[in-house]
């Protein structure tokens, strides 16, 4: 579907269209490929959104700022590989060719030197390649083991960011860390995601695991599906599973890894696409499960359940795909003990749900969890809700259509207290990057390719922008790493306490969280999403709240929750505008000296 506006042509990706296809879990086949060998200059080699394609185009053909004007497209100047900070070489399994990041990115110091902030000039000299640490590989292995097994009761991590001080990456993970042999001896894995670069993904696995069975669950259709099959065809161990998207404009947005080891099972729920860009200079979130041991032979599949019912909820989520390939993984989960899980699973799956089915998914699932398990707090009406996300859907003509009615009612639920949504005046703070946030980022304007808020949507809901707050993460050293993470939480008026916290793939949209139909009798959800809910009661806190961990590098109590951005959030000033990807920005250069003209 295409439309034209004063800002140019924009396109909805093929995976968003309404025509249905039969679910397909099979080996990649070139019989689907109609365009093999085509050359699409400037486009990424994997299916993705139009915003991502625009970012890739501007990276390959930047528009340089010159005396207040932008030049014609120029090819980026060749850059030498830096020997220090030379990419993500994280384990002994890396070989030449795995560290492709730096070759494609150029010298990180050139970018860092343009940035404001205390990390600018020291970024490169303070950061050593992880396999060339002066303390030796054994210390690095021990550090990773400690990170995995102690000091982080929430098992909530951020991704590593290239180009910032190494101390700010303390406690962070890269995908190669997650797939490292240190985490287990891999037998097979499943990767659920939206945007997937198969070749890059395969090379994130250690060499000894690259031929292990890999199931990729995606939502691509027609031409994009053919592209994915073309990518996967060289890898005989890879199977593709197409998630059904029966409702128009839905996406398979869930980001999860299922990792089956000789030693047990691990579940990873995160916010990163399976592409190089998302693991390089963005702020992303990860929940990493414990290593779940196998149940004794003969134990029933219902054994090994957690207090949070995580096992049965994960099985229900996988069953919603109605896929034979995922039935195999359901059996694997049944064979393991998930009783150590302390988080609640919060998922969305496409469909129209009535009666008790409504409470299984989306924002009504959150409402039920908070009603049944959250603890009431004093003066709860004064506790704000914070939503932080990387994309925004169409929310209606005014705030009463969804945001401040059904969605807010779910977000403000605490225990059995029930108030009419019309009586609620709980403050809502929405964190979304400004144009200047993006312009001054490590990536510059192309970072906005992962913030796909369109002018067509923004123009219809100018009322929403009064809720916006800037992205600010100075305390964590990630102020210039744009967020692709999505988080939601309820905080005290002084921003020192948290009643609950969510990390999820779900952006601020009705497609992700669901919207009422038939006067509230039915909940309609378009997309697959997945996240986890943290409640204080599951971590031994009877106060009803977590303390906010203000300094992520400090030795504050383990019960302090590591919020990945600064609190309180800073409201937009009169000159600030939300980042909108499909309009030009030509009045000021970004950190690479370039402009943004998406088409």
């Amino acid at each position: 579907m295409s439309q034209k506006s004063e800002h140019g042509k924009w396109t909805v990706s093929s995976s968003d269209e309404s025509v249905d296809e039969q679910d397909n879990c099979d080996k990649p086949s070139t019989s689907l490929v109609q365009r093999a060998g085509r050359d699409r200059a400037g486009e990424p080699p994997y299916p993705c959104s139009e915003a991502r394609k625009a970012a890739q185009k501007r990276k390959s053909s930047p528009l340089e700022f010159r005396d207040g004007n932008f030049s014609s497209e120029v090819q980026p100047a060749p850059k030498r590989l830096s020997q220090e900070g030379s990419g993500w070489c994280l384990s002994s399994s890396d070989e030449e060719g795995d560290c492709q990041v730096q070759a494609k990115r150029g010298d990180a110091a050139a970018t860092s030197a343009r940035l404001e902030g205390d990390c600018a000039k020291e970024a490169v000299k303070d950061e050593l390649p992880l396999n060339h640490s002066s303390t030796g590989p054994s210390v690095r292995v021990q550090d990773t083991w400690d990170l995995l097994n102690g000091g982080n009761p929430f098992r909530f991590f951020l991704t590593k960011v290239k180009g910032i001080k190494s101390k700010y990456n303390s406690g962070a993970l890269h995908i190669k860390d997650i797939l490292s042999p240190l985490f287990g001896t891999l037998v097979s894995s499943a990767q659920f995601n939206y945007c997937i670069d198969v070749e890059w993904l395969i090379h994130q696995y250690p060499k000894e695991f690259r031929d292990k069975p890999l199931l990729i669950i995606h939502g691509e259709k027609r031409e994009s599906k053919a592209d994915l099959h073309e990518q996967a065809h060289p890898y005989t161990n890879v199977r593709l599973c197409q998630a059904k998207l029966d409702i128009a404009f839905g996406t398979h947005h869930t980001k999860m890894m299922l990792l089956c080891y000789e030693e047990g099972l691990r579940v990873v729920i995160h916010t990163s696409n399976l592409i190089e860009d998302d693991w390089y200079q963005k702020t992303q979130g990860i929940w990493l499960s414990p290593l779940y041991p196998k149940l004794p032979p003969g134990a029933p599949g219902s054994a090994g359940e957690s207090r949070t019912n995580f096992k049965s909820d994960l099985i229900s989520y996988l069953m919603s795909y109605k896929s034979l390939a995922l039935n195999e993984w359901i059996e694997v989960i049944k064979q393991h003990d998930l009783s150590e899980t302390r988080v609640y699973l919060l998922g969305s799956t496409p469909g129209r749900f009535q009666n008790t089915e409504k409470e299984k998914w989306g924002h009504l699932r959150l409402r039920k969890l908070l009603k049944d398990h959250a603890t009431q707090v004093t003066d709860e009406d004064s506790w704000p809700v914070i939503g932080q996300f990387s994309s925004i859907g169409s929310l209606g003509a005014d705030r009463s259509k969804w945001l401040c009615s059904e969605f807010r009612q779910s977000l403000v639920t605490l225990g059995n207290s029930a108030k009419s949504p019309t009586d609620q005046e709980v403050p809502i703070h929405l964190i979304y990057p400004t144009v200047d946030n993006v312009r001054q980022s490590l990536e510059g304007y192309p970072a906005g390719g992962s913030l796909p808020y369109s002018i067509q949507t923004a123009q219809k809901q100018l009322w929403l922008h009064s809720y916006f707050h800037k992205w600010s993460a100075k305390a964590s050293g990630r102020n210039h790493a744009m967020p692709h993470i999505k988080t939601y939480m309820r905080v005290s008026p002084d921003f020192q306490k948290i009643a609950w916290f969510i990390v999820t793939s779900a952006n601020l949209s009705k497609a992700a969280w669901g919207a009422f139909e038939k006067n509230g009798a039915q909940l309609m959800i378009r997309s697959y999403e997945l996240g986890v809910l943290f409640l204080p009661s599951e971590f031994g806190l009877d106060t009803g709240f977590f303390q906010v961990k203000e300094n992520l590098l400090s030795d504050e109590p383990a019960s302090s929750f590591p919020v990945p951005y600064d609190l309180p959030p800073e409201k937009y000033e009169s000159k600030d505008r939300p980042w909108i990807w499909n309009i030009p920005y030509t009045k000021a250069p970004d950190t690479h000296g370039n402009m943004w003209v998406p088409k």
Side-chain angles (χ1 to χ4, degrees):
M1 177 188 297
S2 297
Q3 268 184 234
K4 288 187 177 180
S5 74
E6 59 183 315
H7 303 289
K9 187 177 179 182
W10 62 284
T11 305
V12 177
S13 70
S14 60
S15 63
D16 289 341
E17 297 172 18
S18 59
V19 180
D20 185 35
E21 292 187 3
Q22 184 178 357
D23 183 50
N24 187 19
C25 295
D26 55 10
K27 297 276 188 181
S29 169
T30 52
S31 64
L32 286 173
V33 180
Q34 303 298 323
R35 302 182 300 151
R38 69 189 182 287
D39 180 20
R40 297 170 298 175
E43 286 194 15
Y46 44 80
C48 63
S49 68
E50 293 301 304
R52 296 264 184 178
K53 290 177 182 178
Q56 186 70 22
K57 177 181 179 181
R58 287 285 72 93
K59 286 179 181 178
S60 62
S61 300
L63 298 174
E64 186 178 352
F65 180 84
R66 293 177 182 171
D67 298 325
N69 297 301
F70 61 91
S71 73
S72 58
E73 294 185 2
V74 295
Q75 293 298 318
K79 297 179 181 178
R80 292 181 302 167
L81 274 176
S82 169
Q83 292 303 310
E84 265 189 62
S86 58
W88 294 116
C89 298
L90 300 184
S91 72
S92 60
S93 66
D94 291 327
E95 76 263 31
E96 293 181 12
D98 274 1
C99 298
Q100 303 170 5
V101 176
Q102 190 68 18
K104 295 182 179 180
R105 305 289 184 172
D107 188 358
T111 299
S112 301
R114 297 188 182 100
L115 299 176
E116 300 174 359
D118 62 358
C119 68
K121 294 183 179 179
E122 300 180 36
V124 173
K125 74 176 184 180
D126 194 49
E127 182 173 356
L128 292 174
L130 296 185
N131 64 339
H132 294 107
S133 171
S134 60
T135 56
S138 63
V139 174
R140 172 59 63 192
V141 169
Q142 184 61 43
D143 287 347
T144 305
W145 181 256
D146 290 343
L147 175 66
L148 183 63
N149 291 282
N152 189 340
F154 306 111
R155 311 189 68 86
F156 171 58
F157 302 91
L158 299 180
T159 51
K160 289 175 177 171
V161 173
K162 196 68 174 177
I164 64 175
K165 287 185 177 181
S166 59
K167 68 178 182 180
Y168 293 121
N169 280 321
S170 175
L173 294 172
H174 187 263
I175 187 172
K176 285 192 174 183
D177 288 316
I178 297 171
L179 299 175
S180 164
L182 186 64
F183 280 31
T185 307
L186 194 70
V187 175
S188 61
S189 61
Q191 296 280 357
F192 298 67
N193 221 290
Y194 170 62
C195 188
I196 303 159
D197 182 340
V198 177
E199 181 180 10
W200 177 86
L201 172 61
I202 293 294
H203 282 82
Q204 305 318 298
Y205 285 82
K207 282 190 294 184
E208 60 265 40
F209 296 160
R210 289 179 190 168
D211 61 353
K212 301 296 184 182
L214 169 60
L215 179 67
I216 296 176
I217 299 89
H218 66 93
E220 302 299 341
K221 296 181 180 180
R222 292 175 294 283
E223 186 176 86
S224 295
K225 180 180 175 181
D227 286 346
L228 196 60
H229 275 253
E230 182 179 354
Q231 281 191 68
H233 182 67
Y235 306 101
T236 58
N237 60 311
V238 173
R239 285 194 298 165
L240 299 178
C241 178
Q242 180 187 15
K244 288 184 178 180
L245 291 165
D246 295 334
I247 303 178
F249 308 112
T251 58
H252 182 259
H253 205 241
T254 289
K255 296 164 178 65
M256 176 170 64
M257 306 181 192
L258 299 177
L259 306 174
C260 184
Y261 306 110
E262 292 179 5
E263 300 86 353
L265 173 71
R266 198 183 304 279
V267 179
V268 184
I269 295 173
H270 61 105
T271 66
S272 302
N273 287 289
L274 294 174
I275 60 176
E276 179 185 294
D277 279 351
D278 272 33
W279 296 85
Y280 186 68
Q281 288 183 324
K282 300 189 191 304
T283 298
Q284 307 273 13
I286 303 165
W287 175 77
L288 188 77
S289 82
L291 180 62
Y292 299 130
K294 273 196 172 183
L295 289 165
S302 58
E305 183 57 280
S306 68
R307 280 170 37 101
T308 62
N309 293 312
F310 185 87
K311 182 174 184 176
S312 58
D313 290 334
L314 179 58
I315 289 172
S316 292
Y317 177 77
L318 295 181
M319 288 177 65
S320 74
Y321 285 82
K322 300 179 175 62
S323 161
L324 291 177
L326 287 176
N327 286 345
E328 299 172 12
W329 278 99
I330 290 171
E331 291 306 311
V332 170
I333 292 167
K334 287 180 179 179
Q335 295 165 14
H336 287 82
D337 181 355
L338 279 60
S339 61
E340 292 301 310
T341 312
R342 295 187 177 188
V343 296
Y344 291 87
L345 194 69
L346 181 59
S348 294
T349 191
R352 289 179 164 88
F353 307 99
Q354 298 179 352
N355 303 318
T356 57
E357 290 291 303
K358 288 192 302 182
E359 296 182 329
K360 290 182 63 175
W361 313 110
H363 75 78
L364 286 189
R365 162 71 171 167
L366 174 61
R367 186 182 301 186
K368 180 169 176 55
L369 289 174
L370 294 177
K371 180 179 179 180
D372 292 347
H373 304 290
T375 304
Q376 289 181 246
V377 295
T378 305
D379 300 324
E380 66 177 73
D381 285 353
S382 63
W383 285 54
V385 168
I386 295 180
Q388 175 273 312
F389 37 81
S390 60
S391 185
I392 307 168
S394 180
L395 306 184
D398 59 63
R399 67 177 194 161
S400 69
K401 294 297 187 289
W402 184 78
L403 179 68
C404 292
S405 53
E406 58 180 281
F407 190 52
R408 179 167 66 179
Q409 187 175 7
S410 293
L411 293 171
V412 303
T413 300
L414 280 177
N416 288 317
S417 62
K419 297 183 177 69
S420 167
T422 57
D423 296 331
Q424 299 280 0
E425 287 301 332
V426 174
I428 298 177
H429 304 315
L430 303 179
I431 298 176
Y432 180 77
T434 66
V435 173
D436 270 352
N437 283 155
V438 175
R439 184 178 69 83
Q440 296 171 359
S441 70
L442 288 162
E443 300 173 88
Y445 286 125
S450 59
L451 301 164
Y453 190 28
S454 73
I455 186 64
Q456 291 79 12
T457 301
Q459 285 175 333
K460 297 175 183 176
Q461 52 194 35
L462 297 177
W463 59 267
L464 178 65
H465 300 180
S466 65
Y467 292 91
F468 283 169
H469 293 67
K470 302 177 185 179
W471 169 256
S472 178
K474 296 175 185 175
S476 67
R478 293 163 182 263
N479 206 47
H480 300 292
M482 287 298 95
H484 192 257
I485 188 174
K486 298 96 167 115
T487 60
Y488 301 81
M489 62 180 169
R490 187 86 184 271
V491 297
S492 59
D494 62 359
F495 297 94
Q496 297 298 307
K497 304 178 183 69
I498 303 174
W500 53 262
F501 183 92
I502 295 168
V503 60
T504 178
S505 63
N507 281 302
L508 187 68
S509 75
K510 294 188 285 187
W513 287 100
F516 285 145
E517 295 179 332
K518 298 183 177 180
N519 294 321
Q522 180 169 281
L523 184 72
M524 189 270 282
I525 300 175
R526 299 180 186 274
S527 298
Y528 292 91
E529 307 281 359
L530 204 60
V532 293
L533 167 67
F534 299 83
L535 289 179
S537 58
E538 297 303 327
F539 293 87
L541 300 174
D542 55 11
T543 58
F545 54 80
F546 302 112
Q547 291 288 341
V548 172
K549 187 172 185 177
E550 296 182 355
N551 184 349
L552 299 189
L553 303 178
S554 72
D555 294 325
E556 295 176 53
S559 58
S560 298
F561 200 92
V563 177
Y565 39 82
D566 299 337
L567 294 176
E570 183 182 355
K571 194 171 178 62
Y572 275 26
E573 300 174 28
S574 59
K575 63 180 177 59
D576 289 319
R577 297 291 181 270
W579 170 263
I580 293 171
W581 79 269
N582 57 344
I583 60 176
Y585 299 103
T586 60
K587 294 183 179 179
D590 67 8
T591 51
H592 298 269
N594 296 322
M595 300 291 94
W596 177 258
V597 180
K599 296 295 182 180

